[in-house]
Amino acid sequence: MATVLHNLSDYDPNKLPSADILRGQRYAIIVADWNSEVTYAMAEGAVQTLKESGVPEDRIIVQHVPGAVELTYAASQFVGRVNAIIVIGCVIKGDTPHFDYVCLSVTQGVAYLNARGETPVIFSVLTTLNQQQALQRAGGELGNKGTEGAYTAIRMANLE
């Protein structure tokens, strides 16, 4: 039986608030430079989705950090200053347990920021077994996790 691939970035733009509302909102995108072939493509997807939805480019802040562990600290600097924060990273499993510690660190950090309830922090961090899986989710056949992050950020910033 063949595996059916589904583009996970398909979303219903009708579920988003109007462009009039989004014009007044600000979003931060924190991008890890590690695995930049993947993370930069995801960041481009996030920026494009925000702009297409009505967020002006000058109200989108893109901040680069060295790696995934640094995403939490950078995100914490934007809490209360923007309507939502998207953290973008890519951790690819290697031969050591480093993968587990990095994934745990960023996951717990984002969960902590969200539990504070001040600003939604959207987890667009890929945790894959290999680079091919990451590329499939960074604009490849499985969509763009950055696009998904932007859509989710808009929805969470406008909860009713």
Side-chain angles (χ1 to χ4, degrees):
M1 182 162 156
T3 301
V4 177
L5 298 177
H6 174 68
N7 183 327
L8 302 173
S9 298
D10 292 336
Y11 64 91
D12 183 357
N14 295 319
K15 291 185 178 180
L16 298 179
S18 72
D20 289 339
I21 292 171
L22 295 175
R23 268 193 281 282
Q25 295 185 337
R26 295 181 72 213
Y27 291 83
I29 302 170
I30 316 299
V31 185
D33 290 336
W34 194 260
N35 290 317
S36 61
E37 180 180 2
V38 174
T39 60
Y40 291 6
M42 292 167 60
E44 287 177 23
V47 169
Q48 188 63 35
T49 300
L50 290 171
K51 288 178 11 184
E52 287 174 359
S53 300
V55 179
E57 189 167 3
D58 65 346
R59 299 191 61 82
I60 301 169
I61 302 160
V62 178
Q63 178 69 57
H64 288 264
V65 297
V69 171
E70 293 77 28
L71 291 169
T72 302
Y73 175 78
S76 75
Q77 301 306 296
F78 289 94
V79 169
R81 296 176 43 207
V82 295
N83 294 86
I85 302 161
I86 307 162
V87 295
I88 294 178
C90 176
V91 187
I92 299 173
K93 190 164 180 74
D95 295 329
T96 69
H98 182 72
F99 172 87
D100 299 317
Y101 297 113
V102 171
C103 293
L104 184 62
S105 172
V106 69
T107 301
Q108 287 181 335
V110 169
Y112 170 76
L113 292 174
N114 277 316
R116 290 174 47 193
E118 296 175 51
T119 304
V121 181
I122 309 308
F123 188 86
S124 288
V125 179
L126 297 177
T127 57
T128 63
L129 299 176
N130 57 56
Q131 186 171 18
Q132 179 60 33
Q133 289 177 343
L135 292 170
Q136 287 177 321
R137 292 158 176 80
E141 59 194 2
L142 295 178
N144 187 315
K145 194 70 172 168
T147 297
E148 294 171 43
Y151 172 72
T152 303
I154 293 169
R155 296 277 311 270
M156 293 304 294
N158 293 282
L159 285 177
E160 296 179 3

